[in-house]
Amino acid sequence: MTRSYLSRPLAMLGLAGLLVLQGCAPMAPGKAGLDIDTSVSARSQGSRVRFIVLHYTVSESPRALGILSQGEVSSHYLITDDEPPRIYRLVDESRAAWHAGQSEWGGYTWLNRSSIGIEIVNRGPVGTAADGTPAWQPYRPSLIRAVKALVRDIAERHGVAPENIVGHSDIAPLRKQDPGPLFPWRELAREGVGRWYDESVAQALGARFAAQGLPDMASVRQQLARVGYAVPPLEAPEREMRAVVAAFQMHYRPARYDGVLDAETAGVLAALVAASGPAGAGDASAW
């Protein structure tokens, strides 16, 4: 009886204290008469943003702005080719923009849900070069400076890993080529924006492959998947695997991006895998 008699006033006191605390807690207005208490924030949380995807627009600034703001596609940011470039935020970073489409990177699919999309005003392919390959519009230095600053800011705020700063061609190699072979991935990576590889290691491995023969395609497929690319199934047409190799070349060895594995490409891939960690180094050393 004594324990029951004491517990009731203690319980009432605890309830009264709780009500007092709730009365002092920050409250956010909710719909349908709901009040949301925002006084407690969970420690275990993180940004929904895992990837930053770079695109070119193909069209000029006014048309690109119209398409991305009024059409069926969108991006979080548009960087114009004005001098100096102007940066539009078209979609809040907390919301999904429709820029990636069917896509995959590092085992994650449909990246609209987990990425920030940046469109850069650039026409992409603008004709044919003397050797019969596509000619591409170059990126002006001021435009690239704006890209660097924006990507660095987003990556730092959301904790995006360097290997997850990618091009549309990386995440959708069967459909896309942007931001193209003239986009200076190496320059960005050297300034801490994106991933690169040890070029001396790549050169040494490339020389070894040139002397001893190329790695088998099973190894190439495994290593491309390890660095993030979605590799088509074995029964897929050969052109699909060539498209993935071409996307890799366009990002990391843009001097030639025909999708044909050569010693230089194999050396770059092995060096990139080696730089990704102990497991990768072991895999690369077996080549």
Side-chain angles (χ1 to χ4, degrees):
M1 290 296 291
T2 303
R3 180 175 300 174
S4 174
Y5 176 78
L6 290 174
S7 63
R8 180 171 298 178
L10 288 173
M12 294 301 293
L13 181 60
L15 178 59
L18 180 60
L19 292 173
V20 169
L21 287 174
Q22 287 183 333
C24 298
M27 304 298 287
K31 293 183 178 179
L34 296 174
D35 289 322
I36 311 299
D37 190 329
T38 60
S39 62
V40 180
S41 181
R43 178 179 62 84
S44 301
Q45 60 176 290
S47 173
R48 293 177 183 269
V49 177
R50 298 183 63 91
F51 310 97
I52 299 172
V53 183
L54 304 181
H55 310 255
Y56 57 49
T57 60
V58 178
S59 58
E60 302 300 329
S61 294
R63 184 166 184 267
L65 184 60
I67 291 171
L68 293 169
S69 62
Q70 303 297 324
E72 298 301 315
V73 295
S74 60
S75 65
H76 293 88
Y77 294 94
L78 170 67
I79 306 179
T80 74
D81 59 351
D82 299 309
E83 194 62 61
R86 185 170 185 176
I87 301 176
Y88 288 92
R89 187 177 70 182
L90 305 177
V91 178
D92 190 88
E93 291 182 8
S94 65
R95 299 179 63 82
W98 311 129
H99 65 96
Q102 185 174 352
S103 50
E104 183 173 346
W105 185 254
Y108 289 82
T109 59
W110 295 98
L111 300 190
N112 283 335
R113 300 172 296 189
S114 54
S115 66
I116 296 292
I118 300 173
E119 289 276 358
I120 307 164
V121 172
N122 180 279
R123 292 176 58 197
V126 292
T128 304
D131 61 359
T133 61
W136 302 79
Q137 181 182 12
Y139 290 88
R140 290 205 314 270
S142 61
L143 195 58
I144 294 304
R145 286 195 295 270
V147 172
K148 290 178 191 174
L150 179 59
V151 174
R152 180 181 290 110
D153 174 64
I154 295 169
E156 289 177 353
R157 286 188 289 105
H158 292 282
V160 177
E163 63 269 21
N164 290 337
I165 299 172
V166 293
H168 204 179
S169 56
D170 294 313
I171 65 172
L174 303 186
R175 301 186 297 113
K176 298 295 180 178
Q177 291 184 298
D178 51 317
L182 296 188
F183 187 79
W185 291 108
R186 180 179 183 269
E187 178 184 338
L188 266 69
R190 289 298 174 90
E191 296 188 27
V193 182
R195 173 178 64 178
W196 205 245
Y197 54 90
D198 187 315
E199 294 179 1
S200 62
V201 172
Q203 185 176 7
L205 289 169
R208 192 175 83 184
F209 291 135
Q212 300 178 6
L214 297 175
D216 61 81
M217 283 308 296
S219 298
V220 173
R221 292 170 62 89
Q222 179 185 14
Q223 302 309 320
L224 283 168
R226 177 171 176 81
V227 299
Y229 290 86
V231 177
L234 289 171
E235 64 271 16
E238 182 183 353
R239 59 180 173 79
E240 294 190 9
M241 190 61 201
R242 288 188 63 160
V244 176
V245 174
F248 176 84
Q249 292 170 327
M250 195 173 285
H251 190 132
Y252 294 103
R253 203 286 306 269
R256 200 181 87 201
Y257 49 92
D258 55 6
V260 176
L261 183 73
D262 58 8
E264 185 179 2
T265 301
V268 171
L269 179 56
L272 194 62
V273 171
S276 66
D283 292 340
S285 65
W287 284 14

